[in-house]
Amino acid sequence: MTDTELVEQAITGDDDAFLSLMLKHKDALYRTALAYLKNRDDALEAVQEVTFRAYEKIHSLKKPEYAKTWLIRIMMNYCRDVLYKQKRLLLDEDLVMQQGISEDYTYLEVEEALGQLTDEQRELIHLKYLQDVKIKEIAEMTATPESTVKTRLYKALKVLRSFIEEKGEIRRV
């Protein structure tokens, strides 16, 4: 069943359709939460909270074909709220320990590079490259022209390239 069909059924009160929709996108939601919150337990809690929020607001989804994008946007907003309330970023100590043991600092380098971006740029990179959301969908989701989304994406990638080139890692981005 497609997202559109599931959403249309969920809007009419079909709880099984809503559950199917959430199960279909739970991995993307979890990855989004983990990327923001850096903690498995917090990410799982975020998925639960977003499921509840989506259930309450499913009737407000105007374009059922963009259900995944809508869910990811709810997750991003929730994670930003959590981080704002905590006023600090959480580090997953297990991941840091694994990085130290394997001496592969790629993850930390990527995190440092992403830290150079604005929140808006980081969200754009996350949507486009981690969630594989199309530029057209991002444009509709943010009520921004496609050309503006492309320009912002280009500028964000330019910042990342510049940062990595400064670090001596030319040709990795």
Side-chain angles (χ1 to χ4, degrees):
M1 204 176 256
T2 66
D3 281 359
T4 304
E5 294 168 335
L6 290 172
V7 169
E8 288 171 352
Q9 289 179 6
I11 289 172
T12 64
D14 185 345
D15 291 342
D16 290 333
F18 178 79
L19 181 60
S20 295
L21 179 70
M22 294 308 295
L23 289 173
K24 188 174 182 179
H25 298 298
K26 72 177 181 179
D27 291 336
L29 292 171
Y30 177 75
R31 284 192 315 268
T32 301
L34 195 57
Y36 273 87
L37 303 175
K38 313 284 191 271
N39 180 293
R40 291 181 183 112
D41 293 333
D42 291 342
L44 288 173
E45 185 177 329
V47 171
Q48 289 176 343
E49 179 63 27
V50 166
T51 300
F52 175 71
R53 290 181 181 189
Y55 183 76
E56 285 186 318
K57 301 291 184 182
I58 190 72
H59 63 277
S60 69
L61 180 56
K62 294 178 179 116
K63 295 186 177 183
E65 63 270 18
Y66 295 118
K68 180 180 179 182
T69 306
W70 179 72
L71 290 168
I72 290 171
R73 172 56 72 187
I74 294 171
M75 179 61 76
M76 291 167 61
N77 289 337
Y78 174 79
C79 290
R80 259 190 271 123
D81 290 347
V82 167
L83 291 173
Y84 178 76
K85 287 176 184 173
Q86 292 175 348
K87 293 186 181 178
R88 61 186 168 92
L89 296 176
L90 300 174
L91 282 178
D92 183 345
E93 293 177 20
D94 293 336
L95 185 59
V96 172
M97 292 303 292
Q98 288 172 2
Q99 295 299 329
I101 292 169
S102 71
E103 295 185 13
D104 177 12
Y105 299 103
T106 305
Y107 174 79
L108 296 175
E109 291 170 354
V110 169
E111 283 296 312
E112 184 180 9
L114 289 173
Q116 305 301 308
L117 301 175
T118 65
D119 288 343
E120 181 181 305
Q121 290 173 325
R122 209 170 16 260
E123 285 180 15
L124 184 59
I125 294 290
H126 179 81
L127 286 171
K128 177 68 178 136
Y129 296 106
L130 298 178
Q131 296 301 328
D132 200 30
V133 177
K134 293 178 176 38
I135 289 176
K136 180 180 180 179
E137 292 177 18
I138 295 171
E140 289 184 12
M141 184 172 84
T142 59
T144 308
E146 283 184 54
S147 59
T148 303
V149 171
K150 289 178 184 178
T151 300
R152 289 177 181 166
L153 182 60
Y154 173 79
K155 288 179 180 179
L157 291 173
K158 189 175 176 181
V159 169
L160 290 176
R161 277 190 199 97
S162 173
F163 178 79
I164 291 176
E165 286 174 358
E166 283 179 21
K167 290 286 200 177
E169 299 291 327
I170 299 174
R171 302 281 181 225
R172 285 186 66 178
V173 176

